[in-house]
Amino acid sequence: MSTAFIFPGQGSQQVGMGKALADAFPAARAVFDEVDAALGEKLSDTIWNGPDDALKLTANAQPALMAVSLAVVRVLEAEKGLDLSKAARFVAGHSLGEYSALAAAGSLSITDAAKLLRIRGRAMQEAVPVGQGAMAALLGLDFDAAAEVAQAAAEGEVCEAANDNASGQVVVSGHKGAIDRALVIAKEKGAKRAVLLPVSAPFHCRLMAPAADAMRAALAEVNVQAPVVPVVANVTAAPVTDADEIRRRLVEQVTGTVRWRESVAFMVSEGVTRFIELGAGKVLSGLVKRSAEGAEAQSIGMPDDIPTYTA
């Protein structure tokens, strides 16, 4: 059985995530302590105690979700003897989850990943004034149809396919007016549902160009190592191991489409039959089940999950 470890992105966060792990396992507590030290604040307090509005802030949610994912990794290493280089064929993450995947594979330190995600979160939030951008999920349309909807809705504004999550689940991103038009056009084109998402900025589209510039500068200052297993990059749906290419792909990811459906398909084509989601929630496991018929999907994020895990 060939395994891929996958790491969730923004939207999976919830107040209290990772607390039970930190209480049960010193290895998990150490990750939260390291993230707190890297950021110079008690992000762990916000993660575990809220308020929810503070945790949802992009600058907090991104390093918080990485912390939970890496806490799970460290617990599996300490309690189950996990050796990622032997246990995984690939690692991959959805949007910010790509940073978690890189940290898990030894390409980024937890400290650097936390700092980068804080910069990324702030830069993405500041790239577009609140209220000027939006994102919407188009359900029941394939990627090509959703891209056609986005193109028709643009009318001189930005409207792009941002996340190709699974068969029949595509997210579009751009100017608020264009996204509103996309909702109407998508329903006319036969979408089962077309709904605005509760996000604070239009991620993964050209409007994020200022954030991409910020990440280019930040990544230039960080030590990036070759990962112990290939990381499937969001923007190419292909494996990457070279440090310089990793930097380029992370910059491109800010404005580029998250090609998650294709990433899963690639890993399946390479023989992966089991996907293990590490961190908060079960979103990616659900997407895998929709996109990879017959593949096994498992989520590990709570202490009760650890005893049942076998490498």
Side-chain angles (χ1 to χ4, degrees):
M1 179 182 291
S2 186
T3 300
F5 288 87
I6 55 178
F7 298 84
Q10 199 162 340
S12 295
Q13 72 275 356
Q14 56 183 314
V15 172
M17 63 182 184
K19 181 66 164 60
L21 276 175
D23 288 345
F25 301 107
R29 170 70 68 167
V31 171
F32 291 103
D33 289 344
E34 183 173 350
V35 170
D36 286 349
L39 300 180
E41 65 180 71
K42 281 283 188 180
L43 181 63
S44 59
D45 184 64
T46 301
I47 298 171
W48 296 333
N49 302 308
D52 186 59
D53 286 348
L55 182 59
K56 284 181 178 177
L57 290 173
T58 301
N60 289 335
Q62 295 196 16
L65 285 161
M66 183 278 298
V68 177
S69 287
L70 268 294
V72 176
V73 172
R74 294 293 183 258
V75 170
L76 291 177
E77 291 171 342
E79 301 295 322
K80 292 293 184 177
L82 174 69
D83 181 344
L84 204 67
S85 67
K86 297 177 181 178
R89 178 71 179 86
F90 300 102
V91 294
H94 190 286
S95 191
L96 80 89
E98 192 164 320
Y99 287 78
S100 303
L102 288 162
S107 186
L108 293 172
S109 69
I110 291 175
T111 290
D112 284 340
K115 291 178 177 178
L116 287 168
L117 286 170
R118 171 55 58 83
I119 293 168
R120 184 179 185 267
R122 285 177 173 165
M124 293 174 82
Q125 184 62 65
E126 294 169 358
V128 180
V130 174
Q132 291 190 16
M135 300 180 76
L138 309 183
L139 307 180
L141 297 180
D142 64 23
F143 181 79
D144 289 342
E148 289 176 3
V149 167
Q151 184 178 12
E155 296 185 9
E157 294 186 310
V158 171
C159 188
E160 298 170 358
N163 299 347
D164 184 8
N165 287 332
S167 179
Q169 186 181 128
V170 182
V171 174
V172 293
S173 180
H175 286 109
K176 178 64 165 58
I179 297 301
D180 287 340
R181 291 190 292 272
L183 294 172
V184 175
I185 296 170
K187 291 174 183 176
E188 292 172 349
K189 296 288 187 180
K192 294 179 181 178
R193 291 184 66 202
V195 294
L196 284 174
L197 297 179
V199 296
S200 56
F203 305 132
H204 298 293
C205 74
R206 282 177 289 157
L207 295 177
M208 289 289 108
D213 292 339
M215 292 314 298
R216 184 178 294 105
L219 285 159
E221 301 298 320
V222 169
N223 181 29
V224 178
Q225 302 284 338
V228 297
V229 294
V231 179
V232 179
N234 282 186
V235 295
T236 61
V240 57
T241 56
D242 177 75
D244 288 337
E245 185 180 0
I246 287 169
R247 287 190 178 91
R248 291 197 304 273
R249 299 311 183 197
L250 290 176
V251 172
E252 293 168 0
Q253 186 215 66
V254 177
T255 57
T257 302
V258 175
R259 297 169 60 183
W260 187 253
R261 176 183 58 83
E262 292 175 276
S263 295
V264 171
F266 166 78
M267 288 184 275
V268 169
S269 75
E270 292 293 309
V272 171
T273 56
R274 181 171 70 161
F275 292 82
I276 300 178
E277 181 176 7
L278 303 181
K282 301 179 179 180
V283 173
L284 296 187
S285 301
L287 294 179
V288 165
K289 290 174 182 178
R290 291 187 58 180
S291 299
E293 186 175 349
E296 177 185 338
Q298 177 184 2
S299 301
I300 300 178
M302 296 291 288
D304 289 348
D305 299 329
I306 304 302
T308 64
Y309 170 76
T310 54

